[in-house]
Amino acid sequence: MPADSPQTATVVTSRAIRAGHEQDFEHWAAALGDLAEAAPGYRAAIRLGQTAGFQHLLFRFDDRAIAEAWHNSDAVRAHIAIADRWSTALRQIQSGDRIAFELPSDASASKWKRFVTTWLTVFPVLLLVSLGVRTVLKDVPLPLQLLPSSMLLTATLQWIILPRLQRYTRFWLLQDSSGRLQN
C-alpha cells in the first residue's frame, strides 16, 4: 500500500458518551461521516470503539488546511454542538504519513475522581456485607469473618457495581476542568 503524502492530515475525535445516549451517538457519527465524505479533500474515515461508550473517529484529508476548514465549517460545528450535549470530546489533528496519537482511556481519569466514586460505592457495600457476615458469624474470630466479607465485597464490586459505575461516571471521570476529555 503506498504511503500517503506528507501533507495528508488526520483528525481524531475521541468521545466519552453519557450512558443512555449510545443510539444518539450512532446516528450522530453516521451524519458526521456524511459531512466528512461530502467535503473536498476527504480520503477516509475509521471508527474505533471501546467498551461502555468510548469512541474514536478518525478522518483523513488531503492536507491540514482542508481538514481544519472542514472541522471549522458551520455545518460541522453545529453538528459537534449536538454531541456536546451528551458526550465530551477531545480533538487532535496531525499531518504526515507516519503519525501517532495518544488516545484517552479510563486510565486518563483523575485519581481524585476515581477515589471519590469508588469510595462512595465501596463504603455502603462494605457496610452491608460486614454487618451481614458479623451477624451470621458473630462468634467466629475476625480474620475468619473477613474472609467471606472480602470475597463478597470483591465479587460484588467486580461483576456488579464497578461495570455500572464506570458506565454512568465515565463522562464525568474523563473530563478536565474545561469540560474536555483528558488525554
Side-chain angles (χ1 to χ4, degrees):
M1 181 157 131
D4 283 337
S5 118
Q7 290 81 25
T8 302
T10 303
V11 178
V12 176
T13 301
S14 300
R15 287 210 171 255
I17 302 149
R18 277 192 184 148
H21 290 277
E22 295 82 4
Q23 278 304 114
D24 295 329
F25 177 80
E26 293 298 327
H27 298 297
W28 180 86
L32 184 64
D34 293 342
L35 288 170
E37 200 170 332
Y42 168 81
R43 288 183 172 228
I46 299 171
R47 179 173 158 190
L48 304 171
Q50 288 181 263
T51 60
F54 214 2
Q55 299 286 325
H56 309 283
L57 303 170
L58 293 78
F59 297 99
R60 302 275 288 164
F61 293 91
D62 286 342
D63 62 42
R64 188 179 191 106
I66 291 171
E68 293 281 359
W70 170 75
H71 192 271
N72 293 327
S73 71
D74 291 340
V76 172
R77 285 205 174 278
H79 196 66
I80 287 170
I82 293 168
D84 286 344
R85 289 184 240 151
W86 38 260
S87 65
T88 187
L90 172 68
R91 177 187 161 263
Q92 303 174 72
I93 185 168
Q94 290 193 31
S95 298
D97 61 343
R98 290 183 175 214
I99 53 177
F101 291 96
E102 290 292 324
L103 299 177
S105 69
D106 289 325
S108 306
S110 298
K111 288 185 185 347
W112 75 267
K113 288 182 177 182
R114 279 192 293 196
F115 169 81
V116 168
T117 56
T118 304
W119 181 78
L120 287 173
T121 305
V122 167
F123 180 72
V125 174
L126 179 59
L127 187 61
L128 289 172
V129 168
S130 294
L131 285 172
V133 169
R134 281 187 160 184
T135 302
V136 173
L137 302 175
K138 62 183 171 200
D139 297 326
V140 176
L142 183 61
L144 293 177
Q145 288 180 8
L146 290 176
L147 181 66
S149 292
S150 63
M151 289 175 63
L152 282 169
L153 175 64
T154 303
T156 303
L157 287 173
Q158 180 68 33
W159 286 297
I160 298 170
I161 295 172
L162 290 179
R164 285 170 181 81
L165 178 70
Q166 181 183 42
R167 179 172 183 239
Y168 288 104
T169 61
R170 176 179 276 151
F171 179 83
W172 176 71
L173 286 172
L174 297 174
Q175 284 184 349
D176 64 14
S177 60
S178 68
R180 304 312 262 162
L181 273 180
Q182 298 183 89
N183 196 355

